[in-house]
Each structure stands twice: as structure tokens, then as C-alpha cells.
């Protein structure tokens, strides 16, 4: 078993079929497979072997897809870094997973620290989307290392490395339990945790996606969701390649471009988060824009019923919803096409079990609220090098999601709230403790409490409640600027409120419910 058999299977059955489209460049299944082979052989020349971690700090460009597949072909582990992370965040993850190589672009290179990276041996620079199908590429004649004077690791161009590697390779056989990818999620301690997804986890998930969504070789999938995220990486990319479909890759969600590409490329399956659908409705695109689309799907956050109703009224099709987490690869639950229920996240997918339990782990009655727990082949093996954190969420094979929900008499699940304090901003998860740790470093700040407040478009906005040191005067813009220099943009607070004190209970715990109510 190897996830990268995706591309080899497509190459065998449809060698000339277009696998990937990006900004006017077309890659057939054979060409994409050959490029992945070059990446695999190039990495092997640098000493990468089974089980080694290779980090991908890349935006949505073909180099991500090529490198990811090449890493998996070797049996190495692909570590996805959010392309919006800043230097300290990058340093932590690279050291935490002991990555030997990081692949990034020149524009992101500045966020890769030049020091305190104990395990890093090579820095591979991709030229930001300029890779072409093999027959179109002209490479330099030798591999050279650059900018080494201040670096402990060697810096090499990714295209140069691939140019001197064979285009012949085969994905090595892996055990289903062997790690394939590590995808980092924010941690309740303020530090991210790496969810370890095995070849078995991802393979089972992509087959479930194909089955539930009815994905076929004739389909054309729009992929603007970030590839570093489980939704884009597994639900769309891996499932799409396994179906031998055509994937139209975009750098990110720009509404006007999304509408244009959907029409010109005759997209048939449209995936997004609730924020994307809400923004597209605000633009009121012409109905012909979506004439080719036969299927819509949303996940990563709760979909407002008003958006579902307006979309169905305007375009005649429902937006199917799913549920899952990075730790579940991510697909766990699907609002089934055979019986769609508005407002529900649906029923567990094949081979996956879900139930709602109370604080003691006992299953609650139908309609009662409790924590959703999940068991199945999609559930991660562990958090990387985090046995204590793993034990907190895993019990007898069941993963405790931290989401509060309920189940109806038909076995359909509904999300009610979150057990943890996590904030969901347009599908990106933000843990208050991480942001609180950053803001508390500001010399004018005495105390800070972060909470989420309702946002019609984003789902939630981040509210920073700050108590200043005596005599200090700080503008909200100063706090936002301070955060922007240290953390990814989606974690930066949207709203800053200065208060005289924070409401607390008798044990000193901040009452965030009171803060949310006071803001309302």
C-alpha cells in the first residue's frame, strides 16, 4: 500500500489524460508521474529514506503536488506547514518533526530561520509555480548550492535537483500503519501538534470520498483550498487523483477568479468552506457561471442554513456537508445524497463509527447533547512525539473530537458547540491560548483573554480582551501589528477591546462566556 499509487494508477490507465491544470500549464497523468519520480529520485540522492520527514512549506503550486507524491513514493513522511506561518512557528515545527529537508519558495524563504534548526540538512527552493511538463523544461547543467555562508544546511534549486534525477521510479510498498503525512494543528497548550496520518488512514479516506461524492474520471475538480490543509490535500487532491479526475489548481480563493475558472474550465465538482459560499452569494454571479457544476460540498465549519437555502434557490442544487478533523484524515461524516437533511453533518461514512457521549464517556440518549467521538480506519495513530496529548484524545480506539453535538432518531448528527475554546475562522482553527501567549509578551499588556464572537461571513471573529499595565496607552492597531509580525494572518485578532479587568470564577479561570456576552 502507498498513497502515491494514485498517480501511478492514473498513468497506467489514462497516460495522456490531463491530471493537473495550473495557470495555463497542463500536466498529463504520465507527465505528473514522471515529475514525481524525478522528485523522489532527487530526494533519494540527498539521503532521504523510508520514515524520514520532509517538510513542505509551499503555497498551492504544482511543486507541492509533485514533491508530496515524490516524498510518499520513497516511503518518507510529508510534513505540511501552513504557508502563512511566520519564522518562530516554522522553526518550532521543523525541529519538532526533525525534518531533514524543507521545500519552499523564494518568497517564503525569509520565514525559514537561518539558525537553531538542529536536524535540517537541505533547503530546496521551488521557483513558485514555474515548473513545466518534462518536455517543456530547460534545466541548468549542474546542481549548485547557494547562499551557504550563513547556513548550516545546503540550499539547492528544486528544479536543478529534479533535472539530474531519473524519471523512472515506483512507489515502495508500505504497511497500512506506517506514517505517510504529518499535518500540524494548533494545540491547547499554545504549541501546534502534528497529527500522524498513515497510508491506511488516507487510503481509506480517499475511497470514502470517491464513494460518497460520486467522484469519477470525467470530473473536473476546482482546488483553491490550501494543500497544506487536510481538506485540500486528502479530500480533493488524493481522492481526485485516485478517481483519475482532472484537478484545476488555484493559488487561493479569489472570488472573481474562482467564478471565471469555474466557467472557463467547466468545473463539475465544487468544494469549499461556508465562508466561500457566502462570499460568492454576495457577488451574485450569473447562473451560467455554475452551469457545469453538478455537485457542491462544504466542510471545515458549520454552514449557516440561510446560505444553504439561498444557494439551492439560486442554483437548484444542495450544498452537501461533511464533518471531520485533521485527526480523522479528515472525512468522518456525510450528509448523504440519498437522504439530505439541512443543518446536519450527516451520518458516519462506511467503516467509521460515531457516537455522542457524556463527560464520563457513556453514550447519551437520542437528542441529548454530548461530545462526539469517532472510531475507524480514518483515525490518526497519534500526535507526533506527544504521548500525553495523544492519550487525552484517544480512548480504546475512539478519538474524542472536542465538539459538542447530538444525534437524531435517524442517526444523523448535528454540531451544537465546541467543548474546547477553539475558534473557527473561515475554516481555520485558532486556539486562544496560542494567541494569548503572543499578546502577553507585549510590554504594555497585563492580562489578555481571547474568545470567538459570531461573524456572518467568517463564522467567527477573534476578539482580544486586554487589561493594560497601569499608565499604559496602546491603540488596537498596535496590538494587531504586534501580532502580525509573529503569527499567521488568520490567527491575528480582528477586534481588540481594552477592559479594566477580566471576569473570573473563584478558581481564577477567565469566564469567556461573560466576555462574549458583554461584547454582544
Amino acid at each position: 500500500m502507498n498513497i502515491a499509487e494514485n498517480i501511478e494508477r492514473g498513468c497506467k490507465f489514462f497516460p495522456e489524460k490531463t491530471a493537473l491544470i495550473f495557470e495555463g500549464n497542463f500536466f498529463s497523468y504520465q507527465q505528473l508521474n514522471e515529475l514525481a519520480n524525478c522528485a523522489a529520485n532527487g530526494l533519494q540522492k540527498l539521503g532521504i529514506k523510508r520514515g524520514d520527514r520532509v517538510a513542505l512549506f509551499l503555497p498551492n503550486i504544482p511543486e507541492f503536488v509533485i514533491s508530496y507524491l515524490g516524498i510518499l513514493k520513497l516511503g518518507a513522511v510529508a510534513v505540511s506547514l501552513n504557508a502563512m506561518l511566520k519564522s518562530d512557528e516554522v522553526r518550532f515545527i521543523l525541529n519538532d518533526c526533525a525534518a531533514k529537508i524543507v521545500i519552499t519558495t523564494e518568497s517564503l524563504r525569509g520565514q525559514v530561520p537561518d539558525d537553531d534548526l538542529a536536524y535540517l540538512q537541505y533547503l530546496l527552493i521551488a521557483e513558485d509555480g514555474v515548473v513545466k511538463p518534462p518536455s517543456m523544461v530547460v534545466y541548468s547543467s549542474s546542481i549548485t548550492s547557494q547562499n551557504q555562508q550563513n547556513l548550516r544546511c545546503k540550499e539547492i534549486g528544486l528544479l536543478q535537483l529534479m533535472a539530474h534525477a531519473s524519471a523512472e521510479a515506483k512507489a515502495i510498498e508500505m504497511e497500512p500503519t506506517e506514517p505517510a503525512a504529518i499535518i500540524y494543528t494548533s494545540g491547547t497548550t499554545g504549541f501546534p501538534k502534528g497529527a500522524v496520518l498513515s497510508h491506511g488512514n488516507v487510503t481509506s479516506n480517499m475511497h470514502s470520498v470517491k464513494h460518497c461524492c460520486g467522484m469519477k474520471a470525467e470530473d473536473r475538480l476546482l482546488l483553491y483550498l490550501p494543500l497544506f490543509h487536510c481538506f485540500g490535500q486528502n479530500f480533493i487532491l488524493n481522492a481526485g487523483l485516485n478517481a483519475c479526475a482532472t484537478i484545476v489548481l488555484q493559488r487561493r480563493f479569489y472570488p472573481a477568479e474562482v467564478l471565471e475558472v469555474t466557467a472557463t474550465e467547466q468545473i463539475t465538482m465544487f468544494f469549499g468552506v461556508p465562508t466561500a459560499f457566502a462570499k460568492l452569494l454576495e457577488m451574485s454571479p450569473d447562473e451560467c457561471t455554475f452551469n457545469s457544476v453538478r455537485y457542491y460540498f462544504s466542510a471545515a465549519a458549520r454552514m449557516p442554513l440561510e446560505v444553504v437555502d439561498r444557494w439551492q434557490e439560486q442554483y437548484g442544487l444542495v450544498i452537501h456537508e461533511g464533518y471531520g478533523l485533521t485527526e480523522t484524515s479528515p472525512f468522518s461524516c456525510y450528509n448523504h445524497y440519498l437522504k439530505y437533511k439541512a443543518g446536519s453533518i450527516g451520518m458516519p461514512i462506511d467503516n467509521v463509527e460515531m457516537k455522542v457521549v457524556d463527560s464520563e464517556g457513556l453514550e447519551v440518549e437520542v437528542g441529548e447533547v454530548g461530545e462526539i467521538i469517532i472510531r475507524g480506519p480514518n483515525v490518526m495513530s497519534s500526535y507526533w512525539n506527544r504521548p500525553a496529548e495523544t492519550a487525552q484524545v484517544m480512548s480504546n480506539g475512539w478519538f474524542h473530537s472536542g465538539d459538542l453535538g447530538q444525534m437524531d432518531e435517524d442517526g444523523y448528527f448535528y454540531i451544537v458547540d465546541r467543548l474546547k475554546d477553539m475558534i473557527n475562522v473561515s475554516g481555520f482553527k485558532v486556539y486562544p491560548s496560542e494567541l494569548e501567549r503572543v499578546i502577553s509578551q507585549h510590554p504594555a499588556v497585563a492580562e489578555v483573554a481571547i474568545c470567538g464572537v459570531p461573524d456572518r461571513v467568517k463564522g467567527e471573529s477573534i476578539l482580544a480582551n486586554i487589561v493594560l499595565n497601569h499608565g499604559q496607552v496602546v491603540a488596537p492597531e498596535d496590538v494587531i501589528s504586534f501580532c502580525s509580525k509573529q503569527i499567521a494572518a488568520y490567527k491575528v485578532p480582528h477586534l481588540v477591546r481594552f477592559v479594566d479587568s477580566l471576569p473570573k470564577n473563584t478558581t481564577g479561570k477567565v469566564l469567556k462566556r461573560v466576555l462574549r456576552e458583554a461584547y454582544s
Side-chain angles (χ1 to χ4, degrees):
M1 173 182 288
N2 191 310
I3 298 165
E5 290 172 352
N6 274 352
I7 189 64
E8 295 177 352
R9 179 172 175 270
C11 182
K12 180 179 180 180
F13 291 121
F14 304 102
E16 303 304 319
K17 185 178 188 295
T18 300
L20 186 70
I21 300 173
F22 178 77
E23 296 182 353
N25 289 312
F26 296 76
F27 301 80
S28 69
Y29 269 89
Q30 180 174 331
Q31 290 170 333
L32 191 59
N33 186 51
E34 288 177 355
L35 287 167
N37 290 342
C38 290
N41 290 323
L43 291 169
Q44 191 172 48
K45 283 184 179 181
L46 297 182
I48 295 300
K49 58 186 184 302
R50 189 186 198 125
D52 286 341
R53 274 76 64 202
V54 179
L56 296 171
F57 186 37
L58 293 166
N60 277 21
I61 55 177
E63 288 85 344
F64 189 113
V65 179
I66 292 161
S67 301
Y68 173 81
L69 293 170
I71 293 165
L72 296 182
K73 280 176 180 266
L74 289 177
V77 181
V79 182
S80 303
L81 275 74
N82 187 323
M84 292 183 281
L85 296 182
K86 299 297 174 68
S87 181
D88 287 347
E89 297 167 309
V90 172
R91 178 188 286 108
F92 176 85
I93 292 176
L94 294 180
N95 282 331
D96 186 68
C97 71
K100 290 186 175 180
I101 291 177
V102 60
I103 304 174
T104 190
T105 63
E106 193 61 51
S107 59
L108 290 174
R109 168 68 186 88
Q111 299 301 334
V112 179
D114 289 337
D115 56 7
D116 296 330
L117 294 173
Y119 307 96
L120 198 66
Q121 298 174 5
Y122 293 95
L123 187 67
L124 302 184
I125 304 297
E127 296 182 32
D128 204 355
V130 301
V131 66
K132 310 286 185 186
S135 60
M136 298 168 61
V137 180
V138 178
Y139 297 108
S140 57
S141 60
S142 63
I143 298 177
T144 58
S145 297
Q146 304 164 348
N147 304 326
Q148 295 185 52
Q149 61 271 23
N150 297 319
L151 293 173
R152 295 170 121 186
C153 62
K154 295 180 180 179
E155 190 169 321
I156 300 172
L158 177 62
L159 287 180
Q160 290 179 299
L161 182 73
M162 292 169 57
H164 295 82
S166 170
E168 297 293 326
K170 190 177 187 306
I172 70 171
E173 189 68 22
M174 305 291 289
E175 293 296 325
T177 55
E178 287 187 87
I182 300 176
I183 300 180
Y184 275 80
T185 66
S186 296
T188 53
T189 60
F191 294 98
K193 302 179 301 246
V196 180
L197 303 182
S198 69
H199 284 268
N201 289 153
V202 178
T203 298
S204 72
N205 227 230
M206 64 193 185
H207 284 298
S208 292
V209 172
K210 269 189 3 180
H211 170 67
C212 289
C213 301
M215 201 175 281
K216 303 173 184 176
E218 298 78 26
D219 279 314
R220 297 170 72 83
L221 320 179
L222 184 61
L223 177 47
Y224 60 80
L225 293 161
L227 282 167
F228 58 73
H229 193 282
C230 214
F231 192 174
Q233 188 174 122
N234 290 339
F235 201 96
I236 305 176
L237 175 65
N238 278 321
L241 291 178
N242 190 261
C244 299
T246 295
I247 297 169
V248 181
L249 183 65
Q250 286 199 279
R251 292 180 184 269
R252 57 182 301 178
F253 179 72
Y254 294 112
E257 290 183 15
V258 164
L259 294 177
E260 181 183 354
V261 170
T262 299
T264 58
E265 294 295 345
Q266 291 293 283
I267 298 300
T268 62
M269 303 188 82
F270 191 98
F271 304 90
V273 297
T275 304
F277 288 99
K279 286 186 176 180
L280 291 174
L281 280 173
E282 287 179 358
M283 295 183 67
S284 298
D286 191 279
E287 288 188 16
C288 67
T289 301
F290 294 106
N291 273 351
S292 60
V293 181
R294 65 173 185 82
Y295 181 88
Y296 299 98
F297 181 90
S298 175
R302 281 202 301 178
M303 173 68 80
L305 283 174
E306 62 182 78
V307 174
V308 174
D309 293 341
R310 286 181 60 200
W311 195 273
Q312 187 170 4
E313 181 182 348
Q314 186 159 340
Y315 301 112
L317 293 172
V318 301
I319 301 173
H320 291 276
E321 289 186 71
Y323 168 77
L325 307 97
T326 299
E327 292 89 342
T328 60
S329 302
F331 200 24
S332 298
C333 197
Y334 181 61
N335 197 343
H336 212 280
Y337 66 94
L338 293 176
K339 186 177 181 180
Y340 175 82
K341 283 194 176 187
S344 172
I345 57 172
M347 304 175 70
I349 60 175
D350 290 348
N351 302 316
V352 171
E353 300 172 80
M354 287 174 53
K355 58 185 180 180
V356 181
V357 300
D358 60 21
S359 59
E360 295 180 356
L362 300 176
E363 193 165 3
V364 303
E365 297 293 327
V366 169
E368 290 187 11
V369 175
E371 184 181 12
I372 293 175
I373 62 174
I374 305 162
R375 181 169 68 180
N378 59 328
V379 175
M380 69 172 187
S381 59
S382 66
Y383 291 122
W384 181 260
N385 283 340
R386 295 282 189 279
E389 286 90 337
T390 302
Q392 289 174 0
V393 298
M394 297 293 297
S395 177
N396 297 320
W398 288 93
F399 171 72
H400 288 249
S401 70
D403 285 322
L404 292 173
Q406 56 191 164
M407 185 183 74
D408 68 15
E409 63 280 355
D410 293 328
Y412 278 64
F413 285 76
Y414 299 79
I415 297 294
V416 175
D417 207 334
R418 280 181 288 278
L419 185 62
K420 304 170 186 175
D421 285 332
M422 182 267 292
I423 302 169
N424 197 322
V425 182
S426 301
F428 288 103
K429 295 173 174 58
V430 179
Y431 279 92
S433 57
E434 181 181 10
L435 184 49
E436 287 164 357
R437 180 170 55 85
V438 171
I439 294 178
S440 65
Q441 296 171 11
H442 193 292
V445 173
E447 287 187 288
V448 58
I450 301 296
C451 62
V453 294
D455 185 298
R456 188 175 61 84
V457 175
K458 298 176 181 177
E460 285 185 295
S461 286
I462 303 168
L463 170 65
N465 302 272
I466 296 174
V467 178
L468 294 174
N469 287 316
H470 181 70
Q472 295 290 324
V473 178
V474 177
E477 295 77 13
D478 295 331
V479 175
I480 293 171
S481 176
F482 180 81
C483 294
S484 298
K485 295 175 182 176
Q486 300 185 64
I487 55 176
Y490 71 93
K491 300 178 186 178
V492 174
H494 311 98
L495 307 162
V496 177
R497 185 173 61 146
F498 297 105
V499 296
D500 294 330
S501 63
L502 299 175
K504 299 174 183 176
N505 63 15
T506 54
T507 63
K509 182 179 180 181
V510 175
L511 301 174
K512 296 190 176 181
R513 172 183 54 80
V514 175
L515 290 172
R516 284 190 287 266
E517 290 174 355
Y519 176 80
S520 298

